[in-house]
Structure formats: structure tokens, C-alpha cells
Amino acid sequence: MPSRVLEYRPGVMLDGYTERQRVIAPWGQSRVYSAGATDPGAPVVRFGVLTSISGDVGPKVADAKPEDRTTVAGATAAWFGDSLYWNATPGRVLNVSLENVTGVDARAEARRIAESVQPDTTAMRVPFSLDEYPYAVVEGPNPAEWAISGTSDFADVRYAVTVTRSDTPPAGGVPTTVDGREAFYVGDGFGRLTHQVAPGVQVAVAPHEPKLPDVPEPLRPEHATAGQLVRVAEALTVDGPPRRGLARPLDRLRYQTRSGVPGSCGPGCRGGMCSCSNPCSWVPSP
């Protein structure tokens, strides 16, 4: 069975705030709660589980200034500004912070939320993989409109991957196929390939445009032909999300382009973190 990464969730939240976004990254995971938009400057509550960098953050929590030290459910904790961090378990540092929220005591509400955090048995992992560096964001205004987007590497190039609910081919797309399934290529920009992996579910791949100028040369994007993106799409493993949680409309999607048939973890598969020695599928058991 796949190992879980996000193992906690808040039990209480600010009135009217619901989960709008979940980020799954190499450093851990985070959830964003709001009463509406999550644009920069909007009032949001952030809850994070730090994993790969917890070894750096954990000692900072334990060695915080005496006036900033506290506890959460008996665990060592500390305030950094109005952000509350605590060492939940070895290898897990949790964090709650309120951003741009007015009319409340930010520290009091952060502590109330932190004290309510409880284990979460929902396995939430990056729902696709090529070679390495998986990163994904799951977001949307309601359960019927969640989309999953992120990046992953293939042959030393970083690609953007998007999973959406749609049956509509992209405008101006040139027909092609991916593992015998209908696909469409659009040559504008860096190029983009969209293919239908299941009824109502599309996956698109495109070279990823870096936002920072210091991205290593091998990862800088170049225009990709239809044939190049077909090879990327055929190497891509796309799995369905958990049976509970954000992306509920995609629950029944179980698809792996590498093998060309529906399935989950198997020899040579590429997906989210699994118990296999290589990254493998994280599709939940039926």
C-alpha cells in the first residue's frame, strides 16, 4: 500500500472557511482555507505539514526565544510572528497561520485550529509522475470543479501537467493519439498535447516555462513537437485521487499510460510515492 504523506488535518476552522487548495510537493504538503478567493492578499488560513525540511525547522522550534516558546497538545511549539509551528512527531513539523484575516485575534485562532489538528487517514499524493521532482496543486471552487496541475521531469526537461474535467477538444488542435487514445496537439507557444484518458477527464502536457532565470539549462523549455509530447504523454503515469478529499469527481480514474491499460502499481510503473523501490502508482484499493 502507498505510504501517506499528509497525515493530519484541522478539526475546526474559521466560520465560513473551507478548503480551497492543496499543495503536494517534495517538502511536504499544505492546505489553504478561505471563505472565497485565494488570490494574493485574500484572507486565508494555511495549514502545513513539513516533511523533507523538518530537520531544519524542528530545531528552530525547539530553540526559539523563551518568550516565543509554547506547546500544542503537549508537543514543543513556537511562535514565529503570528505563525504557530510545532514538532508533532519526528520528521513532521506542523504549521498554522492566518494571512490577511481581520477582525479576529490571529494568535488565538491559530492556536484554536492547531489544538484541533488530528490524524488524517486520507492518502493524498501527486497524481502523476514522469521521472522526478513531482509537484502538484489541487484547487477549485467546489467539489465538481477541482483541477490538478503541477510539474514533473522527463529526459532532463520539466513539463507542466494538468488534469481537468472535460470532454471538449482544445480549439485548433491537430488530431493524434496517445497509446491508441484520442489526443490533440496545439503548436502555439511551447506546444501542448491534450489527451482523453477517460470520459470527462483530460490530461495535458507542455514544456514548463520557468519563472526564475537561474533554472539549469537542461530544464529550460524549448518548443516541443507533437511527436515529442506524445512520447512524454506515453511515459506519464496518471492516477486517480483519493476516494475522500478534494478531487472527488475523479475518484474512479485508474489509468497508466506506461502500460497502456488501467491499473495501479506494477512493474515499471511511474506514479506517486509507493512502497516499491521506484516511484509507483498511488491509486487507492477498490
Side-chain angles (χ1 to χ4, degrees):
M1 288 294 292
S3 59
R4 285 184 290 272
V5 177
L6 183 58
E7 299 172 340
Y8 305 91
R9 64 177 175 82
V12 302
M13 187 46 60
L14 299 184
D15 289 344
Y17 279 57
T18 59
E19 187 175 8
R20 303 287 178 138
Q21 182 187 88
R22 193 176 299 185
V23 176
I24 313 160
W27 47 259
Q29 301 187 21
S30 69
R31 306 186 191 213
V32 177
Y33 299 79
S34 78
T38 57
D39 300 330
V44 300
V45 176
R46 296 186 185 275
F47 170 67
V49 179
L50 307 180
T51 54
S52 65
I53 63 174
S54 61
D56 298 324
V57 180
K60 294 179 180 178
V61 173
D63 298 334
K65 296 178 180 179
E67 61 268 27
D68 293 329
R69 297 176 191 172
T70 183
T71 61
V72 172
T76 301
W79 292 100
F80 294 90
D82 287 336
S83 295
L84 182 57
Y85 289 78
W86 68 103
N87 295 330
T89 63
R92 294 289 188 277
V93 176
L94 276 57
N95 161 249
V96 172
S97 62
L98 277 63
E99 298 180 8
N100 307 308
V101 179
T102 59
V104 300
D105 184 326
R107 283 199 171 191
E109 290 298 330
R111 174 171 291 282
R112 182 176 72 92
I113 294 169
E115 293 285 357
S116 77
V117 169
Q118 55 192 284
D120 186 356
T121 58
T122 301
M124 190 69 180
R125 269 162 296 278
V126 176
F128 50 76
S129 179
L130 291 167
D131 285 344
E132 55 186 23
Y133 193 78
Y135 174 89
V137 177
V138 183
E139 60 187 342
N142 59 65
E145 298 181 52
W146 287 107
I148 306 171
S149 61
T151 59
S152 192
D153 294 354
F154 177 73
D156 293 325
V157 176
R158 186 152 296 161
Y159 290 89
V161 182
T162 307
V163 183
T164 56
R165 294 280 297 180
S166 178
D167 287 304
T168 304
V174 177
T176 184
T177 60
V178 172
D179 281 335
R181 292 174 172 82
E182 185 178 53
F184 295 90
Y185 171 75
V186 176
D188 296 345
F190 290 105
R192 182 180 179 88
L193 182 79
T194 302
H195 64 295
Q196 201 77 34
V197 300
V201 181
Q202 286 183 353
V203 173
V205 294
H208 178 62
E209 182 175 7
K211 296 181 179 180
L212 301 176
D214 58 350
V215 173
E217 188 65 31
L219 298 184
R220 291 185 181 276
E222 296 180 355
H223 184 273
T225 65
Q228 289 172 322
L229 291 181
V230 166
R231 288 192 292 273
V232 172
E234 288 177 342
L236 178 69
T237 298
V238 180
D239 300 320
R243 295 190 179 280
R244 294 188 294 116
L246 290 179
R248 189 179 303 274
L250 305 182
D251 280 350
R252 293 184 175 84
L253 174 62
R254 293 169 59 85
Y255 179 76
Q256 292 185 349
T257 58
R258 180 172 293 276
S259 64
V261 297
S264 60
C265 184
C269 74
R270 297 278 190 173
M273 296 306 296
C274 189
S275 58
C276 310
S277 58
N278 294 322
C280 290
S281 166
W282 58 266
V283 175
S285 298

